PDB file of all heavy atoms in Angstrom:
ATOM      1  N   GLY A  13      -7.199   0.910 -11.574  1.00 94.00           N
ATOM      2  CA  GLY A  13      -8.115  -0.139 -11.917  1.00 94.00           C
ATOM      3  C   GLY A  13      -8.231  -1.295 -10.946  1.00 94.00           C
ATOM      4  O   GLY A  13      -9.060  -2.217 -11.170  1.00 94.00           O
ATOM      5  N   GLY A  14      -7.424  -1.259  -9.925  1.00 96.00           N
ATOM      6  CA  GLY A  14      -7.547  -2.230  -8.925  1.00 96.00           C
ATOM      7  C   GLY A  14      -6.899  -3.607  -9.158  1.00 96.00           C
ATOM      8  O   GLY A  14      -7.006  -4.532  -8.368  1.00 96.00           O
ATOM      9  N   PHE A  15      -6.207  -3.810 -10.243  1.00 97.00           N
ATOM     10  CA  PHE A  15      -5.383  -4.965 -10.449  1.00 97.00           C
ATOM     11  C   PHE A  15      -3.948  -4.784 -10.304  1.00 97.00           C
ATOM     12  O   PHE A  15      -3.368  -3.888 -11.126  1.00 97.00           O
ATOM     13  CB  PHE A  15      -5.750  -5.519 -11.956  1.00 97.00           C
ATOM     14  CG  PHE A  15      -7.075  -6.031 -12.065  1.00 97.00           C
ATOM     15  CD1 PHE A  15      -8.174  -5.384 -12.362  1.00 97.00           C
ATOM     16  CD2 PHE A  15      -7.245  -7.512 -11.965  1.00 97.00           C
ATOM     17  CE1 PHE A  15      -9.421  -5.856 -12.566  1.00 97.00           C
ATOM     18  CE2 PHE A  15      -8.433  -8.122 -12.128  1.00 97.00           C
ATOM     19  CZ  PHE A  15      -9.604  -7.267 -12.390  1.00 97.00           C
ATOM     20  N   PHE A  16      -3.373  -5.268  -9.265  1.00 97.00           N
ATOM     21  CA  PHE A  16      -1.984  -4.871  -8.884  1.00 97.00           C
ATOM     22  C   PHE A  16      -1.079  -6.160  -9.124  1.00 97.00           C
ATOM     23  O   PHE A  16      -1.499  -7.258  -8.979  1.00 97.00           O
ATOM     24  CB  PHE A  16      -1.889  -4.538  -7.368  1.00 97.00           C
ATOM     25  CG  PHE A  16      -2.715  -3.318  -7.044  1.00 97.00           C
ATOM     26  CD1 PHE A  16      -4.039  -3.375  -6.667  1.00 97.00           C
ATOM     27  CD2 PHE A  16      -2.080  -2.123  -7.027  1.00 97.00           C
ATOM     28  CE1 PHE A  16      -4.731  -2.237  -6.301  1.00 97.00           C
ATOM     29  CE2 PHE A  16      -2.783  -0.917  -6.628  1.00 97.00           C
ATOM     30  CZ  PHE A  16      -4.092  -0.987  -6.244  1.00 97.00           C
ATOM     31  N   VAL A  17       0.214  -5.808  -9.309  1.00 98.00           N
ATOM     32  CA  VAL A  17       1.294  -6.825  -9.136  1.00 98.00           C
ATOM     33  C   VAL A  17       2.311  -6.192  -8.083  1.00 98.00           C
ATOM     34  O   VAL A  17       2.758  -5.049  -8.232  1.00 98.00           O
ATOM     35  CB  VAL A  17       2.084  -7.069 -10.349  1.00 98.00           C
ATOM     36  CG1 VAL A  17       3.050  -8.216 -10.174  1.00 98.00           C
ATOM     37  CG2 VAL A  17       1.121  -7.543 -11.541  1.00 98.00           C
ATOM     38  N   LEU A  18       2.492  -6.861  -6.958  1.00 98.00           N
ATOM     39  CA  LEU A  18       3.254  -6.362  -5.878  1.00 98.00           C
ATOM     40  C   LEU A  18       4.409  -7.262  -5.425  1.00 98.00           C
ATOM     41  O   LEU A  18       4.381  -8.423  -5.536  1.00 98.00           O
ATOM     42  CB  LEU A  18       2.365  -6.245  -4.597  1.00 98.00           C
ATOM     43  CG  LEU A  18       1.053  -5.330  -4.954  1.00 98.00           C
ATOM     44  CD1 LEU A  18       0.070  -5.410  -3.724  1.00 98.00           C
ATOM     45  CD2 LEU A  18       1.380  -3.935  -5.278  1.00 98.00           C
ATOM     46  N   SER A  19       5.552  -6.624  -5.064  1.00 98.00           N
ATOM     47  CA  SER A  19       6.619  -7.319  -4.373  1.00 98.00           C
ATOM     48  C   SER A  19       6.505  -7.179  -2.887  1.00 98.00           C
ATOM     49  O   SER A  19       5.849  -6.267  -2.305  1.00 98.00           O
ATOM     50  CB  SER A  19       7.940  -6.689  -4.828  1.00 98.00           C
ATOM     51  OG  SER A  19       7.986  -6.899  -6.277  1.00 98.00           O
ATOM     52  N   PRO A  20       6.999  -8.021  -2.110  1.00 98.00           N
ATOM     53  CA  PRO A  20       6.862  -8.104  -0.769  1.00 98.00           C
ATOM     54  C   PRO A  20       7.221  -6.885   0.064  1.00 98.00           C
ATOM     55  O   PRO A  20       6.751  -6.632   1.183  1.00 98.00           O
ATOM     56  CB  PRO A  20       7.738  -9.304  -0.211  1.00 98.00           C
ATOM     57  CG  PRO A  20       7.766 -10.168  -1.429  1.00 98.00           C
ATOM     58  CD  PRO A  20       7.822  -9.311  -2.609  1.00 98.00           C
ATOM     59  N   GLY A  21       8.150  -6.040  -0.500  1.00 98.00           N
ATOM     60  CA  GLY A  21       8.563  -4.824   0.175  1.00 98.00           C
ATOM     61  C   GLY A  21       7.376  -3.863   0.410  1.00 98.00           C
ATOM     62  O   GLY A  21       7.483  -2.943   1.282  1.00 98.00           O
ATOM     63  N   VAL A  22       6.247  -4.092  -0.291  1.00 98.00           N
ATOM     64  CA  VAL A  22       5.050  -3.156  -0.010  1.00 98.00           C
ATOM     65  C   VAL A  22       4.536  -3.219   1.385  1.00 98.00           C
ATOM     66  O   VAL A  22       3.870  -2.343   1.965  1.00 98.00           O
ATOM     67  CB  VAL A  22       3.900  -3.433  -1.063  1.00 98.00           C
ATOM     68  CG1 VAL A  22       4.460  -3.140  -2.434  1.00 98.00           C
ATOM     69  CG2 VAL A  22       3.354  -4.779  -0.878  1.00 98.00           C
ATOM     70  N   PHE A  23       4.717  -4.371   2.119  1.00 98.00           N
ATOM     71  CA  PHE A  23       4.302  -4.632   3.443  1.00 98.00           C
ATOM     72  C   PHE A  23       4.852  -3.557   4.350  1.00 98.00           C
ATOM     73  O   PHE A  23       4.271  -3.275   5.423  1.00 98.00           O
ATOM     74  CB  PHE A  23       4.530  -5.992   3.907  1.00 98.00           C
ATOM     75  CG  PHE A  23       3.698  -7.082   3.146  1.00 98.00           C
ATOM     76  CD1 PHE A  23       4.334  -8.005   2.460  1.00 98.00           C
ATOM     77  CD2 PHE A  23       2.322  -7.118   3.242  1.00 98.00           C
ATOM     78  CE1 PHE A  23       3.529  -9.027   1.718  1.00 98.00           C
ATOM     79  CE2 PHE A  23       1.537  -7.986   2.670  1.00 98.00           C
ATOM     80  CZ  PHE A  23       2.166  -9.050   1.910  1.00 98.00           C
ATOM     81  N   ASP A  24       6.028  -3.034   4.046  1.00 98.00           N
ATOM     82  CA  ASP A  24       6.760  -2.028   4.909  1.00 98.00           C
ATOM     83  C   ASP A  24       6.021  -0.715   4.832  1.00 98.00           C
ATOM     84  O   ASP A  24       6.190   0.102   5.759  1.00 98.00           O
ATOM     85  CB  ASP A  24       8.162  -1.819   4.438  1.00 98.00           C
ATOM     86  CG  ASP A  24       9.022  -3.096   4.662  1.00 98.00           C
ATOM     87  OD1 ASP A  24       8.667  -3.900   5.489  1.00 98.00           O
ATOM     88  OD2 ASP A  24      10.023  -3.307   3.958  1.00 98.00           O
ATOM     89  N   TYR A  25       5.048  -0.584   3.897  1.00 97.00           N
ATOM     90  CA  TYR A  25       4.296   0.657   3.717  1.00 97.00           C
ATOM     91  C   TYR A  25       2.974   0.687   4.478  1.00 97.00           C
ATOM     92  O   TYR A  25       2.193   1.551   4.363  1.00 97.00           O
ATOM     93  CB  TYR A  25       4.070   0.944   2.229  1.00 97.00           C
ATOM     94  CG  TYR A  25       5.350   1.504   1.533  1.00 97.00           C
ATOM     95  CD1 TYR A  25       6.334   0.492   1.154  1.00 97.00           C
ATOM     96  CD2 TYR A  25       5.617   2.791   1.204  1.00 97.00           C
ATOM     97  CE1 TYR A  25       7.549   0.840   0.506  1.00 97.00           C
ATOM     98  CE2 TYR A  25       6.752   3.166   0.558  1.00 97.00           C
ATOM     99  CZ  TYR A  25       7.814   2.273   0.238  1.00 97.00           C
ATOM    100  OH  TYR A  25       8.827   2.643  -0.428  1.00 97.00           O
ATOM    101  N   ILE A  26       2.633  -0.500   4.989  1.00 98.00           N
ATOM    102  CA  ILE A  26       1.360  -0.721   5.656  1.00 98.00           C
ATOM    103  C   ILE A  26       1.533  -0.807   7.126  1.00 98.00           C
ATOM    104  O   ILE A  26       2.247  -1.635   7.708  1.00 98.00           O
ATOM    105  CB  ILE A  26       0.692  -2.012   5.256  1.00 98.00           C
ATOM    106  CG1 ILE A  26       0.473  -1.962   3.673  1.00 98.00           C
ATOM    107  CG2 ILE A  26      -0.728  -2.188   5.812  1.00 98.00           C
ATOM    108  CD1 ILE A  26       0.004  -3.261   3.038  1.00 98.00           C
ATOM    109  N   GLU A  27       1.024   0.048   7.940  1.00 97.00           N
ATOM    110  CA  GLU A  27       1.046   0.069   9.376  1.00 97.00           C
ATOM    111  C   GLU A  27       0.291  -1.012  10.060  1.00 97.00           C
ATOM    112  O   GLU A  27       0.770  -1.739  10.936  1.00 97.00           O
ATOM    113  CB  GLU A  27       0.776   1.436   9.958  1.00 97.00           C
ATOM    114  CG  GLU A  27       1.780   2.578   9.541  1.00 97.00           C
ATOM    115  CD  GLU A  27       1.569   3.790  10.243  1.00 97.00           C
ATOM    116  OE1 GLU A  27       0.691   3.941  11.234  1.00 97.00           O
ATOM    117  OE2 GLU A  27       2.139   4.854   9.889  1.00 97.00           O
ATOM    118  N   GLY A  28      -1.020  -1.035   9.838  1.00 95.00           N
ATOM    119  CA  GLY A  28      -1.820  -1.990  10.537  1.00 95.00           C
ATOM    120  C   GLY A  28      -3.180  -2.085   9.933  1.00 95.00           C
ATOM    121  O   GLY A  28      -3.506  -1.654   8.782  1.00 95.00           O
ATOM    122  N   ASP A  29      -4.085  -2.598  10.745  1.00 97.00           N
ATOM    123  CA  ASP A  29      -5.549  -2.901  10.263  1.00 97.00           C
ATOM    124  C   ASP A  29      -6.221  -1.644   9.773  1.00 97.00           C
ATOM    125  O   ASP A  29      -7.139  -1.715   8.863  1.00 97.00           O
ATOM    126  CB  ASP A  29      -6.446  -3.482  11.451  1.00 97.00           C
ATOM    127  CG  ASP A  29      -6.001  -4.942  11.711  1.00 97.00           C
ATOM    128  OD1 ASP A  29      -5.234  -5.474  10.890  1.00 97.00           O
ATOM    129  OD2 ASP A  29      -6.554  -5.499  12.561  1.00 97.00           O
ATOM    130  N   ALA A  30      -5.929  -0.501  10.391  1.00 97.00           N
ATOM    131  CA  ALA A  30      -6.574   0.901   9.906  1.00 97.00           C
ATOM    132  C   ALA A  30      -6.044   1.403   8.733  1.00 97.00           C
ATOM    133  O   ALA A  30      -6.652   2.442   8.258  1.00 97.00           O
ATOM    134  CB  ALA A  30      -6.542   1.757  11.163  1.00 97.00           C
ATOM    135  N   THR A  31      -5.031   0.845   8.095  1.00 98.00           N
ATOM    136  CA  THR A  31      -4.349   1.438   6.970  1.00 98.00           C
ATOM    137  C   THR A  31      -5.213   1.146   5.689  1.00 98.00           C
ATOM    138  O   THR A  31      -5.558   0.066   5.461  1.00 98.00           O
ATOM    139  CB  THR A  31      -3.002   0.867   6.740  1.00 98.00           C
ATOM    140  OG1 THR A  31      -2.148   1.159   7.880  1.00 98.00           O
ATOM    141  CG2 THR A  31      -2.355   1.510   5.483  1.00 98.00           C
ATOM    142  N   ILE A  32      -5.549   2.194   5.010  1.00 97.00           N
ATOM    143  CA  ILE A  32      -6.254   2.161   3.771  1.00 97.00           C
ATOM    144  C   ILE A  32      -5.185   2.079   2.619  1.00 97.00           C
ATOM    145  O   ILE A  32      -4.413   3.072   2.404  1.00 97.00           O
ATOM    146  CB  ILE A  32      -7.195   3.328   3.491  1.00 97.00           C
ATOM    147  CG1 ILE A  32      -8.232   3.360   4.677  1.00 97.00           C
ATOM    148  CG2 ILE A  32      -7.867   3.280   2.200  1.00 97.00           C
ATOM    149  CD1 ILE A  32      -9.104   4.522   4.680  1.00 97.00           C
ATOM    150  N   TRP A  33      -5.152   1.022   1.853  1.00 97.00           N
ATOM    151  CA  TRP A  33      -4.137   0.834   0.954  1.00 97.00           C
ATOM    152  C   TRP A  33      -4.084   1.938  -0.119  1.00 97.00           C
ATOM    153  O   TRP A  33      -3.054   2.323  -0.579  1.00 97.00           O
ATOM    154  CB  TRP A  33      -4.398  -0.604   0.214  1.00 97.00           C
ATOM    155  CG  TRP A  33      -3.645  -0.886  -1.101  1.00 97.00           C
ATOM    156  CD1 TRP A  33      -4.099  -0.898  -2.318  1.00 97.00           C
ATOM    157  CD2 TRP A  33      -2.229  -1.080  -1.129  1.00 97.00           C
ATOM    158  NE1 TRP A  33      -3.068  -1.149  -3.172  1.00 97.00           N
ATOM    159  CE2 TRP A  33      -2.004  -1.237  -2.545  1.00 97.00           C
ATOM    160  CE3 TRP A  33      -1.240  -1.204  -0.242  1.00 97.00           C
ATOM    161  CZ2 TRP A  33      -0.605  -1.545  -2.955  1.00 97.00           C
ATOM    162  CZ3 TRP A  33       0.099  -1.486  -0.605  1.00 97.00           C
ATOM    163  CH2 TRP A  33       0.310  -1.602  -2.050  1.00 97.00           C
ATOM    164  N   GLU A  34      -5.206   2.439  -0.477  1.00 95.00           N
ATOM    165  CA  GLU A  34      -5.261   3.361  -1.585  1.00 95.00           C
ATOM    166  C   GLU A  34      -4.884   4.838  -1.195  1.00 95.00           C
ATOM    167  O   GLU A  34      -4.879   5.690  -1.967  1.00 95.00           O
ATOM    168  CB  GLU A  34      -6.761   3.508  -2.134  1.00 95.00           C
ATOM    169  CG  GLU A  34      -7.258   2.187  -2.667  1.00 95.00           C
ATOM    170  CD  GLU A  34      -7.650   1.189  -1.602  1.00 95.00           C
ATOM    171  OE1 GLU A  34      -7.987   1.689  -0.374  1.00 95.00           O
ATOM    172  OE2 GLU A  34      -7.757  -0.030  -1.849  1.00 95.00           O
ATOM    173  N   GLN A  35      -4.621   4.992   0.115  1.00 93.00           N
ATOM    174  CA  GLN A  35      -4.198   6.325   0.581  1.00 93.00           C
ATOM    175  C   GLN A  35      -2.700   6.307   0.950  1.00 93.00           C
ATOM    176  O   GLN A  35      -1.877   6.477  -0.046  1.00 93.00           O
ATOM    177  CB  GLN A  35      -5.077   6.602   1.824  1.00 93.00           C
ATOM    178  CG  GLN A  35      -6.527   6.863   1.444  1.00 93.00           C
ATOM    179  CD  GLN A  35      -7.366   7.319   2.652  1.00 93.00           C
ATOM    180  OE1 GLN A  35      -6.876   7.649   3.759  1.00 93.00           O
ATOM    181  NE2 GLN A  35      -8.704   7.275   2.418  1.00 93.00           N
ATOM    182  N   GLU A  36      -2.312   6.285   2.161  1.00 95.00           N
ATOM    183  CA  GLU A  36      -0.924   6.452   2.484  1.00 95.00           C
ATOM    184  C   GLU A  36       0.087   5.554   1.782  1.00 95.00           C
ATOM    185  O   GLU A  36       1.117   5.897   1.270  1.00 95.00           O
ATOM    186  CB  GLU A  36      -0.723   6.445   4.044  1.00 95.00           C
ATOM    187  CG  GLU A  36       0.629   6.821   4.598  1.00 95.00           C
ATOM    188  CD  GLU A  36       0.990   8.300   4.241  1.00 95.00           C
ATOM    189  OE1 GLU A  36       0.038   9.029   3.985  1.00 95.00           O
ATOM    190  OE2 GLU A  36       2.225   8.597   4.321  1.00 95.00           O
ATOM    191  N   PRO A  37      -0.160   4.219   1.777  1.00 95.00           N
ATOM    192  CA  PRO A  37       0.766   3.224   1.130  1.00 95.00           C
ATOM    193  C   PRO A  37       1.061   3.635  -0.366  1.00 95.00           C
ATOM    194  O   PRO A  37       2.168   3.747  -0.779  1.00 95.00           O
ATOM    195  CB  PRO A  37       0.157   1.920   1.273  1.00 95.00           C
ATOM    196  CG  PRO A  37      -0.707   2.065   2.553  1.00 95.00           C
ATOM    197  CD  PRO A  37      -1.253   3.412   2.424  1.00 95.00           C
ATOM    198  N   LEU A  38      -0.073   3.857  -1.152  1.00 95.00           N
ATOM    199  CA  LEU A  38       0.218   4.138  -2.546  1.00 95.00           C
ATOM    200  C   LEU A  38       0.864   5.476  -2.749  1.00 95.00           C
ATOM    201  O   LEU A  38       1.573   5.771  -3.631  1.00 95.00           O
ATOM    202  CB  LEU A  38      -1.193   4.075  -3.272  1.00 95.00           C
ATOM    203  CG  LEU A  38      -1.704   2.693  -3.575  1.00 95.00           C
ATOM    204  CD1 LEU A  38      -2.867   2.733  -4.485  1.00 95.00           C
ATOM    205  CD2 LEU A  38      -0.622   1.783  -4.235  1.00 95.00           C
ATOM    206  N   ARG A  39       0.395   6.436  -1.862  1.00 93.00           N
ATOM    207  CA  ARG A  39       1.125   7.813  -1.962  1.00 93.00           C
ATOM    208  C   ARG A  39       2.459   7.733  -1.665  1.00 93.00           C
ATOM    209  O   ARG A  39       3.398   8.338  -2.377  1.00 93.00           O
ATOM    210  CB  ARG A  39       0.397   8.811  -0.985  1.00 93.00           C
ATOM    211  CG  ARG A  39      -1.105   9.107  -1.387  1.00 93.00           C
ATOM    212  CD  ARG A  39      -1.755   9.920  -0.380  1.00 93.00           C
ATOM    213  NE  ARG A  39      -3.177  10.195  -0.639  1.00 93.00           N
ATOM    214  CZ  ARG A  39      -4.022  10.524   0.245  1.00 93.00           C
ATOM    215  NH1 ARG A  39      -3.785  10.622   1.518  1.00 93.00           N
ATOM    216  NH2 ARG A  39      -5.341  10.803  -0.205  1.00 93.00           N
ATOM    217  N   ARG A  40       2.911   7.008  -0.581  1.00 93.00           N
ATOM    218  CA  ARG A  40       4.317   6.825  -0.287  1.00 93.00           C
ATOM    219  C   ARG A  40       5.104   6.123  -1.336  1.00 93.00           C
ATOM    220  O   ARG A  40       6.302   6.454  -1.655  1.00 93.00           O
ATOM    221  CB  ARG A  40       4.459   6.186   1.087  1.00 93.00           C
ATOM    222  CG  ARG A  40       4.101   7.073   2.254  1.00 93.00           C
ATOM    223  CD  ARG A  40       4.211   6.378   3.482  1.00 93.00           C
ATOM    224  NE  ARG A  40       5.557   5.718   3.749  1.00 93.00           N
ATOM    225  CZ  ARG A  40       5.779   4.651   4.521  1.00 93.00           C
ATOM    226  NH1 ARG A  40       4.732   3.936   5.048  1.00 93.00           N
ATOM    227  NH2 ARG A  40       7.018   4.196   4.529  1.00 93.00           N
ATOM    228  N   LEU A  41       4.525   5.065  -1.887  1.00 95.00           N
ATOM    229  CA  LEU A  41       5.116   4.314  -3.021  1.00 95.00           C
ATOM    230  C   LEU A  41       5.348   5.237  -4.157  1.00 95.00           C
ATOM    231  O   LEU A  41       6.512   5.108  -4.766  1.00 95.00           O
ATOM    232  CB  LEU A  41       4.341   3.140  -3.399  1.00 95.00           C
ATOM    233  CG  LEU A  41       4.314   1.885  -2.520  1.00 95.00           C
ATOM    234  CD1 LEU A  41       3.245   0.986  -2.712  1.00 95.00           C
ATOM    235  CD2 LEU A  41       5.680   1.157  -2.601  1.00 95.00           C
ATOM    236  N   ALA A  42       4.359   6.072  -4.415  1.00 95.00           N
ATOM    237  CA  ALA A  42       4.629   7.004  -5.663  1.00 95.00           C
ATOM    238  C   ALA A  42       5.699   7.995  -5.336  1.00 95.00           C
ATOM    239  O   ALA A  42       6.557   8.249  -6.144  1.00 95.00           O
ATOM    240  CB  ALA A  42       3.285   7.674  -5.893  1.00 95.00           C
TER     241      ALA A  42
END
């Protein structure tokens, strides 16, 4: 639904400007 609560550790899952949050970061977090 697009409403998140996040801890700073999620930044380690984002590589750079081309990263789509809903793809690799969320998949890896899961």
